Amino acid sequence: MNVLVIGNGGREHAVVQALAKSPKVDKIYAMKGNAGIAELAELVNIDYCDIKAVGDWVDSKGDIDFTVVTPDDPLALGLVDELESRGHRAFGPRKNAAIIEASKAFSKELMKKYSIPTAAYETFDDYEKAKAYIDTCDIPVVLKADGLALGKGVLICKTREEAQDGLKEMMLDKKFGVAGAKVVVEEFLVGPEVSCLAFTDGKTMCPMITSCDHKRAKDNDEGLNTGGMGTFSPAPFYGEKSLKEVYEKIMLPTMYAMNAEGRPFKGVLYFGLMKTAAGYKVIEYNSRFGDPETQVILPMLKTDLMEIFEAVVDERLEEVNIEWEDGACVCLVLASGGYPEKYEKGKEITFGDLDQDVVLCHAGTKKTDGKIVTDGGRVLGVCAKGKDIEEARQKAYRNAEKISFEGMYYRKDIGIKYKDVAKE
Ligand code: AMP
Ligand code: GLY
């Protein structure tokens, strides 16, 4: 089969590496890809948010058997619907299901209607009403812009003043554009966080192994929010009891709720969860693989990823036995100096002699004049496996030291948190 992968980050490189191992896959195309993906796929330079242009390219190419849509924007814009309407097979939720990530107001209402545990909340599209509500609610409080805002539309406010300022920025100053026209004001939850991803075809839900992200730029979860500075898998505190609770109270009810709403979800459903004193609660849904979670999950997958993708599209996921390796995996993100604020691009990367079983996931890289140079804030993911998280993290750090580019930085504490949280 010839497969097109939409996207250009570390997550897509992880997907491409997994697909390249499949005996079913002959050739991979990537739109737009990066320097790492280019080693395994032919790059196609088309803006994938222009869904008509993508459809036209797939039509004119004529030999694309399957398309994998991973980023949130083209899913929310309806790229899967566009390809299906032209008679092509595509992996990912349709537009009416991708809304579970694209609108926080939608996802919160869904959870309320179907009793799926989440933080208490109110939604506002009127600034004065939201302002009055914030004067009465408990502090800290969380503000969320309704629409997609590149992971930046969430404010954790420790004082009422901070909340009022944040609300004004979202609703009046339009800091997040139209995404902030509607705002969710939410109860602040406390507890360890876990990313639980699952494959689903709308009939069957298959949880993947768990992982934990590190969103802040600096050690000890300080500094600005980023797209993710590193991940590890599995979450140390997530045992059989957790799996059962999350599967029965959150995963299955979400699948049934989307079906009942006439929005069957097919693809990867990402549950961002917090383990609170009152049990697991949903912090957010994503309608796709997470980044950089995927970089620690897919290296542990024993089953053919292409087989899973096809089974999801054909609604026969029930027939596939998905298997994972034992042990652990850690991904360190090597970032450009200054990220997530201003940073320079075009710095040459040297790789050194890496351990053979270390997987590099390219994120912001490109090839110019035969050299691989930086091309984004998050540049590379160094992914290492081990019998446990400690062994994996030592290997990841040992190998990260061999890589360099001007201004490179990474967190030194990936894989340490939650070590002492009881497993259940
Ligand atoms: P999101 O962009 O929705 O993933 O939110 C970013 C981060 O904000 C999450 O990973 C949590 O750490 C934090 N967060 C979001 N909602 C809440 C909440 N209700 N209580 C506490 N922390 C939250
Ligand atoms: N790692 C969080 C996300 O992909 O949104």
Side-chain angles (χ1 to χ4, degrees):
M1 292 171 78
N2 295 336
V3 181
L4 169 65
V5 176
I6 303 287
N8 46 3
R11 161 184 63 195
E12 285 75 15
H13 194 194
V15 168
V16 166
Q17 291 182 69
L19 290 177
K21 286 189 218 150
S22 169
K24 290 170 172 270
V25 175
D26 299 309
K27 179 155 176 134
I28 305 175
Y29 294 87
M31 198 182 272
K32 311 173 158 194
N34 58 38
I37 293 174
E39 286 172 19
L40 298 167
E42 187 174 321
L43 305 191
V44 184
N45 192 15
I46 288 178
D47 171 13
Y48 53 69
C49 285
D50 184 346
I51 60 173
K52 186 173 172 303
V54 181
D56 288 346
W57 183 83
V58 174
D59 274 349
S60 68
K61 188 76 185 61
D63 61 354
I64 302 295
D65 301 297
F66 198 95
T67 300
V68 181
V69 186
T70 17
D72 49 358
D73 285 325
L75 288 168
L77 289 166
L79 179 53
V80 169
D81 312 53
E82 178 73 24
L83 292 168
E84 284 180 348
S85 72
R86 295 171 185 243
H88 304 294
R89 298 173 83 209
F91 177 86
R94 292 184 186 148
K95 184 177 178 174
N96 74 350
I99 192 175
I100 198 167
E101 170 171 9
S103 167
K104 293 206 189 282
F106 170 86
S107 68
K108 293 297 291 188
E109 252 157 63
L110 185 85
M111 290 186 268
K112 190 186 258 182
K113 184 169 170 189
Y114 294 92
S115 305
I116 297 164
T118 188
Y121 76 101
E122 294 288 338
T123 304
F124 298 93
D125 50 19
D126 181 299
Y127 171 72
E128 290 302 328
K129 284 193 183 139
K131 186 164 171 273
Y133 178 73
I134 286 176
D135 275 336
T136 65
C137 65
D138 287 342
I139 295 294
V141 68
V142 182
L143 303 188
K144 298 187 172 182
D146 173 50
L148 295 176
L150 291 172
K152 298 196 180 89
V154 175
L155 298 179
I156 313 276
C157 306
K158 297 204 174 66
T159 65
R160 212 170 294 280
E161 203 177 18
E162 212 180 308
Q164 293 294 11
D165 289 347
L167 182 76
K168 188 168 162 293
E169 278 177 10
M170 276 188 189
M171 295 193 89
L172 297 186
D173 308 341
K174 309 245 181 308
K175 192 172 171 191
F176 306 106
V178 287
K182 223 189 243 182
V183 169
V184 172
V185 182
E186 190 174 277
E187 165 199 18
F188 176 73
L189 299 176
V190 186
E193 279 186 72
V194 55
S195 303
C196 296
L197 282 68
F199 294 106
T200 177
D201 60 0
K203 297 176 178 161
T204 304
M205 179 73 77
C206 295
M208 305 186 206
I209 49 173
T210 57
S211 56
C212 298
D213 192 5
H214 300 69
K215 288 218 164 87
R216 301 299 191 102
K218 296 191 180 147
D219 288 8
N220 299 317
D221 287 334
E222 287 169 10
L224 294 170
N225 248 325
T226 70
M229 293 299 294
T231 36
F232 60 88
S233 172
F237 56 88
Y238 197 89
E240 288 298 322
K241 184 168 168 266
S242 297
L243 176 65
K244 186 171 185 298
E245 178 184 328
V246 168
Y247 189 70
E248 290 175 0
K249 298 205 167 134
I250 295 175
M251 291 188 166
L252 286 182
T254 301
M255 185 178 85
Y256 295 136
M258 290 300 277
N259 288 340
E261 293 294 309
R263 300 171 182 273
F265 189 102
K266 287 165 68 172
V268 170
L269 193 47
Y270 169 129
F271 302 82
L273 308 177
M274 200 173 265
K275 188 180 185 206
T276 74
Y280 281 91
K281 294 195 178 180
V282 178
I283 291 281
E284 63 162 346
Y285 290 113
N286 290 331
S287 59
R288 51 174 173 84
F289 279 115
D291 190 327
E293 284 90 342
T294 306
Q295 290 89 308
V296 289
I297 293 174
L298 290 185
M300 306 297 279
L301 177 66
K302 289 205 268 185
T303 311
D304 182 342
L305 183 61
M306 192 65 228
E307 188 185 334
I308 301 172
F309 282 166
E310 285 200 280
V312 168
V313 169
D314 299 341
E315 295 177 25
R316 46 173 184 79
L317 186 58
E318 185 192 29
E319 293 168 16
V320 185
N321 179 26
I322 301 180
E323 290 185 295
W324 303 94
E325 286 179 27
D326 292 330
C329 190
V330 170
C331 169
L332 308 180
V333 170
L334 311 185
S336 298
Y339 173 77
E341 294 185 292
K342 220 168 145 264
Y343 57 85
E344 291 179 18
K345 293 183 186 177
K347 307 291 180 195
E348 185 177 354
I349 307 170
T350 54
F351 290 92
D353 197 8
L354 304 184
D355 290 355
Q356 241 188 351
D357 59 344
V358 164
V359 178
L360 267 191
C361 290
H362 286 232
T365 67
K366 72 172 182 188
K367 209 166 186 176
T368 24
D369 304 330
K371 291 178 188 160
I372 297 184
V373 301
T374 64
D375 193 39
R378 294 188 298 161
V379 176
L380 291 165
V382 181
C383 311
K385 294 193 243 183
K387 66 174 188 310
D388 53 25
I389 287 172
E390 190 49 34
E391 191 179 276
R393 68 182 297 274
Q394 285 185 19
K395 195 192 281 182
Y397 278 103
R398 227 177 24 244
N399 282 275
E401 280 168 18
K402 301 179 191 173
I403 300 173
S404 73
F405 55 86
E406 195 189 314
M408 176 177 115
Y409 86 94
Y410 52 95
R411 276 180 61 161
K412 303 291 187 301
D413 63 346
I414 304 296
I416 291 176
K417 67 180 175 184
Y418 307 149
K419 253 201 320 214
D420 302 323
V421 183
K423 183 171 180 174
E424 52 176 17

